[in-house]
Amino acid sequence: MGRGSLAMAWYGLVSAMFFVYIGAALALAYGTADALIGLVLTIVVYGAVNRILSAYALRHGLTVHQFSRTLLGRAGALLATLIFAATAIYYAVFEGSILAFAFQAQFGGDLALWSAIVVLYTTPLVSGGIQRRLDKVNGLLLPLYWGGLAVAVVWAGTAYGVSGDWLSHTTAFLPVASGGPGWLACFAAYMGVWIMMMYTMDFAALGRPQDVAFHGRWTFGWLFYTLAFGLNAVVGIFLTFTIPGLQSTETGVAAGLVTMMGPLGLLLAFVSQTRINTANYALGASNLREVAERTLRIRLPRLVWAFITSAIIFALMLLPVVQYLLVALAWQGALVTGWVGIALTHLALGRATGRGADPAGLPDRRFRSISAPGVAAWLVSAAVGIGLIESGQPWGATWGALVTPVLAAAIYAGLRVTSRRSTALIETSASPEAATTASARP
């Protein structure tokens, strides 16, 4: 994809209503000042990590599955891909449910009917493949989204007045009992969305190596997260403290906008959720297809996988999935942050030893089934992280998220240094296949 097309496709993720909600929820829980400090740290870390991962994926054309074969082996890569697919599908369910609630708030009726409508209109947008649709759809809707948010802020300020409460809000948060200051808890909460690191690799793999500098600066770096996390969170905090009765819940922000603005609020919710769900549906379908083809040897057209994914999403939308968002985020955070820790450590070790990337086009048989350093580091760190999260201690959620990537990186580095194998690749002598594949991409 060209730099403009890839940038517009990626910026579909900038408009998730979840980003509006989570900023407001953290401000209510920990105070506005701590929420904003945690937000700044989040933007810095996300921008830095994703510049690294996107550059690697752009230069070598590696998706999450292809890169995970090097880190974890064939079987471990399939597990990573399955987690990626499940998470993308879960987000599609969550974001679609928000829009279904918005439709119901405006028109009434059965939620299942609106859920079906959301799935039916979204599926054709991604059924032609991620390259063909996302840049056009998101490019058209991007001005509508930011314009709609601006209208919502002005509308709320005009209708209900503007005070400094949204900036000065404090809570009775106890740092010692909770394992650290409020800003640290806010930073850890955003670690539940480190799935964005996997999203980054799959999108960047569609780009061109010569566009690394452009995408690092404008597409996958700090600018994107300043808009996605920073601006959306500030708007969410302002609206929550300005609109009377607006509930900072998973669906409350969208419902509040519809209640205040009527059809214009519904339009804003529609634009927001359509943009983010084009990415969720596309990545869910592509990774589900990857798993099925490699485990069950099922080969079906992209269109079929788009419909299969949409059917799964609709079935889950009929269940109370939204109620379990925070639990799902915590568990997902323990799994995905461990993978990110391993990935970054692998890149650092590769740079230190001068070892290049394993080519994207290598067949699975060239990789071992299990790469012990990667799998051990991932499983142990995830188990420790989930154990801390589920410990019942008030500090468990914060430190479970923080410890997991550090522990994963330490275990992986230790096992890699003491192991004779640098990756899961089965080395062969002067393989023509490897040479041909390696020369296919700079």
Side-chain angles (χ1 to χ4, degrees), residues 71-72 342 370-378 408 411-412 415-416 419 421:
L71 304 178
L72 309 168
I342 294 168
I370 294 291
S371 177
V375 171
W378 199 22
I411 294 174
Y412 183 73
L415 294 177
R416 269 283 308 276
S419 173
R421 298 172 180 173

Side-chain angles (χ1 to χ4, degrees), residues 246-320:
L246 190 147
Q247 298 180 353
S248 181
T249 63
E250 294 83 348
T251 57
V253 174
L257 289 173
V258 172
T259 301
M260 179 181 72
M261 301 170 64
L264 287 179
L266 178 61
L267 176 62
L268 176 57
F270 173 81
V271 170
S272 164
Q273 304 314 96
T274 297
R275 298 184 77 250
I276 182 64
N277 258 352
T278 54
N280 289 330
Y281 275 61
L283 291 174
S286 63
N287 283 279
L288 196 62
R289 176 191 183 193
E290 190 86 47
V291 172
E293 286 185 352
R294 296 179 184 276
T295 56
L296 305 176
R297 301 294 186 265
I298 297 176
R299 296 191 175 275
L300 299 171
R302 289 179 182 272
L303 180 63
V304 175
W305 283 112
F307 280 105
I308 291 173
T309 304
S310 295
I312 295 172
I313 290 170
F314 175 66
L316 292 174
M317 287 178 72
L318 300 179
L319 302 174

Side-chain angles (χ1 to χ4, degrees), residues 14 89 93 140 159 161 167-168 183 192 211 262 266 300 315 327 329 338 357 367 403 421 427:
V14 82
I89 288 172
V93 172
L140 290 171
L167 284 174
S168 59
W183 57 261
D211 294 332
L266 178 61
L300 299 171
V327 175
L329 278 178
F367 294 86
V403 165
R421 298 172 180 173
E427 300 291 350

Side-chain angles (χ1 to χ4, degrees), residues 9 124-138 278:
L125 298 178
V126 297
S127 59
I130 189 171
Q131 299 95 326
R132 302 179 191 174
R133 305 280 180 169
L134 298 191
D135 59 331
K136 296 179 178 61
V137 171
N138 292 329
T278 54

